[in-house]
């Protein structure tokens, strides 16, 4: 089925601000609470949110095989399960409805009042029920930096790293959407000068600049997904801040890997940008040496040119851009990650999420974590207000942004904005 949505010359009758992440070429999907306290599935053009449930009820998706309630749900899981053919039909229709030359909805004021909302009138929700979450470790620069810091610089990468997309299964219940504050975690740490662990707040809370992809129902238990088919089962992508407590992690990760240092919170952007929307921004992926085993070899090794940046805003303070990176730096592609994930027959379901792992570039200003930017705390990062940071402090807000740009079209993911609150303090009972 042809993609009708990617024409860079396509215009819409919805106002779109200059450098918006959401031109008519994007058409992402999300879930939001309307001004009438109704949860619906929707999309966005410019600063206008579009209620797809209402649009469907008014007959604008006639001719597309959709259930009556497909957009009247509080998650995208069922819609994602319908597969790529349905996604494309829906996005093509939305593109037609909001094309500047189409006056069917454009001239119907009654329908517009029902279907269209300003962003100030809605509250974004978590877009999918995430049944399972896997986090990979697929940036060679990041893995090398961490290995250099904590192991032998001459052997920074562990022997398996260049042969498999390393990953672990994380906790999905603590994944939250942008705007949801999180708390500094408590846990055990082992101070450098101590002979036994202590319990208390993590002192080394860190962001991890990642992206994540959302899958559809991909396979049945026992059947692997071939690497050259894997991307057909990826619905879209979001920005992903996989928060980390470095001091807790250092003490707990041997022998079974990440646990409390990672599962206290992760943050995602609320709009899922589809793989179809990202097609114009495909580029050649990083060369791999040594050559992967046959099940990981792709006929075409492609990735996506997605510019990423992270800013820190102290409470009542000014913003400082901490880093600028790019998704293209990933060593292992999403297709390779998904193929490896299922090579043992592991089944993947609609709404599952797979994190890329921290995305670091080749230069110090493109590193994807405070661990690297401050080099383990040895080189404090200067902020625009004259203060410094080694790691994230209480009441700091971390903001992720990501976008693509080509042929005059800018297309993006919006942002993740998350404030780190102090540790939880139980309320004292009144006597």
């Amino acid at each position: 089925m042809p993609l009708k949505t990617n024409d860079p010359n396509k215009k819409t009758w919805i106002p779109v601000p200059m450098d918006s992440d959401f031109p008519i070429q994007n058409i992402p999907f999300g879930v939001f609470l309307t001004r009438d306290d109704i949860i619906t599935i929707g999309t966005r053009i410019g600063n206008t949110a579009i209620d797809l449930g209402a649009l469907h009820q008014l007959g604008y998706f006639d001719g597309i095989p959709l259930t009556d309630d497909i957009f009247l749900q509080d998650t995208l899981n069922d819609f994602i399960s319908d597969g790529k053919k349905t996604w494309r039909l829906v996005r093509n229709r939305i593109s037609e409805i909001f094309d500047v030359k189409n006056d069917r909805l454009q001239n119907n004021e009654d329908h517009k009042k029902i279907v269209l909302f300003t962003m100030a009138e809605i509250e974004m929700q978590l877009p999918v029920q995430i049944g399972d979450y896997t986090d990979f470790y697929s940036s060679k620069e990041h893995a090398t930096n961490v290995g250099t810091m904590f192991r032998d610089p001459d052997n920074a990468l562990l022997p398996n790293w260049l042969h498999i997309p390393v990953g672990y299964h994380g906790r999905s219940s603590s994944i939250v959407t942008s705007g949801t504050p999180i708390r500094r975690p408590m846990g055990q740490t082992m101070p450098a000068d101590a002979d036994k662990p202590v319990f208390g707040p993590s002192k080394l809370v860190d962001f991890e600049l990642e992206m994540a992809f959302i899958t559809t129902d991909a396979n049945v238990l026992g059947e692997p997904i071939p690497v050259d088919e894997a991307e057909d089962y990826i619905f879209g992508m979001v920005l992903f801040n996989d928060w980390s407590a470095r001091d807790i992690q250092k003490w707990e990760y041997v022998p079974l890997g990440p646990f409390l240092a990672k599962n206290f919170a992760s943050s995602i952007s609320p709009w899922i940008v589809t793989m179809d929307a990202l097609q114009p921004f495909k580029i050649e992926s990083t060369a791999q040496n040594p050559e992967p085993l046959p099940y990981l070899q792709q006929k075409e090794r492609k990735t996506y040119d997605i510019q990423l940046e992270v800013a820190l805003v102290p409470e009542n303070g000014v913003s400082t851009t901490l880093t600028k990176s790019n998704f293209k730096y990933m060593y292992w592609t999403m297709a390779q990650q998904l193929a490896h994930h299922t090579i043992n027959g592991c089944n993947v379901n609609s709404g599952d999420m797979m994190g890329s792992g921290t995305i670091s570039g080749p230069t110090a200003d493109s590193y994807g974590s405070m661990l690297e930017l401050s080099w383990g705390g040895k080189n404090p990062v200067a902020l625009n207000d004259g203060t410094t940071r080694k790691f994230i402090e209480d009441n700091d807000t971390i903001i992720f942004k990501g976008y693509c740009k080509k042929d005059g079209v800018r297309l993006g993911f919006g942002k993740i904005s998350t404030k780190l609150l102090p540790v939880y303090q139980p309320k004292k009972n009144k006597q």
Side-chain angles (χ1 to χ4, degrees), residues 318-365:
V318 297
S319 177
T320 299
T321 298
L322 298 176
T323 187
K324 291 184 178 182
S325 192
N326 196 300
F327 185 72
K328 68 183 180 182
Y329 296 133
M330 301 304 296
Y331 185 86
W332 295 103
T333 68
M334 291 183 288
Q336 288 176 314
Q337 289 172 337
L338 188 53
H340 181 67
H341 198 301
T342 63
I343 195 62
N344 65 346
C346 175
N347 52 323
V348 172
N349 300 314
S350 173
D352 285 357
M353 193 181 85
M354 316 244 174
S356 62
T358 305
I359 304 167
S360 292
T363 57
D365 58 356

Side-chain angles (χ1 to χ4, degrees), residues 217-248:
D217 300 292
N219 61 329
V220 297
L221 185 66
E223 295 184 6
I225 301 171
V227 67
D228 289 319
E229 298 176 17
E231 204 164 295
D232 290 337
Y233 299 98
I234 298 175
F235 175 65
M237 300 178 69
V238 293
L239 301 172
F240 184 47
N241 184 351
D242 191 23
W243 293 90
S244 183
R246 302 294 184 186
D247 44 357
I248 296 174

Side-chain angles (χ1 to χ4, degrees), residues 8 13 20 30 44 70 84-85 94 139 142-143 150 159 164 169-170 176 186 193 195 225 233 253 258 279 305 337 411:
W13 51 268
S20 170
R44 175 178 178 176
I70 192 68
K84 181 179 284 190
K85 181 179 178 181
I94 294 169
S139 164
H142 173 69
F150 295 111
I164 61 173
H169 294 295
V176 297
M186 302 279 283
D193 56 352
D195 58 2
I225 301 171
Y233 299 98
Y253 84 101
Q279 291 309 298
D305 184 7
Q337 289 172 337
L411 182 152

Side-chain angles (χ1 to χ4, degrees), residues 18-201:
M18 185 75 69
D19 286 336
S20 170
D21 281 351
F22 303 100
I24 193 172
Q25 290 83 0
N26 193 338
I27 312 179
F29 291 94
V31 175
F32 57 81
L33 188 68
T34 72
R35 56 181 171 244
D36 300 315
D37 288 332
I38 296 172
I39 287 184
T40 186
I41 288 171
T43 188
R44 175 178 178 176
I45 297 176
N47 291 325
T48 300
I50 300 159
D51 183 342
L52 296 182
L55 205 61
H56 187 19
Q57 290 179 312
L58 292 169
Y60 286 88
F61 291 113
D62 285 354
I64 300 176
L66 299 170
T67 60
D68 291 342
D69 67 344
I70 192 68
F71 297 126
L72 302 177
Q73 304 186 38
D74 57 5
T75 74
L76 280 158
N77 293 58
D78 282 356
F79 175 66
I80 294 173
S81 288
D82 275 359
K84 181 179 284 190
K85 181 179 178 181
T86 298
W87 313 335
R88 285 189 174 177
L89 285 169
V90 169
R91 289 186 72 254
N92 285 346
R93 182 65 59 84
I94 294 169
S95 183
E96 293 170 6
I97 294 167
F98 293 97
D99 189 285
V100 69
K101 298 176 184 177
N102 189 333
D103 61 5
R104 181 184 175 191
L105 177 60
Q106 184 177 179
N107 293 341
N108 192 323
E109 294 301 321
D110 290 339
H111 283 189
K112 284 197 292 186
K113 289 177 183 177
I114 298 170
V115 169
L116 304 182
F117 299 82
T118 67
M119 292 304 297
E121 293 178 301
I122 68 168
E123 182 180 329
M124 297 303 299
Q125 309 293 304
L126 199 68
V128 289
Q129 181 178 348
I130 303 168
D132 283 298
Y133 151 54
T134 299
D135 192 34
F136 287 96
Y137 187 55
S138 292
S139 164
K140 187 176 181 181
E141 288 82 3
H142 173 69
T144 300
N145 287 338
V146 173
T148 298
M149 258 184 272
F150 295 111
R151 291 190 300 274
D152 177 8
D154 295 328
N155 296 283
L157 295 179
L158 291 172
N160 63 354
W161 200 93
L162 294 171
H163 297 276
I164 61 173
V166 175
Y168 72 95
H169 294 295
R171 180 79 181 176
S172 60
S173 66
S174 53
I175 298 174
V176 297
T177 193
S178 176
T180 306
I182 65 168
R183 288 200 176 273
R184 180 177 296 274
M186 302 279 283
Q188 288 190 28
T189 61
M190 176 64 87
D193 56 352
D195 58 2
K196 61 181 179 179
V198 299
F199 177 79

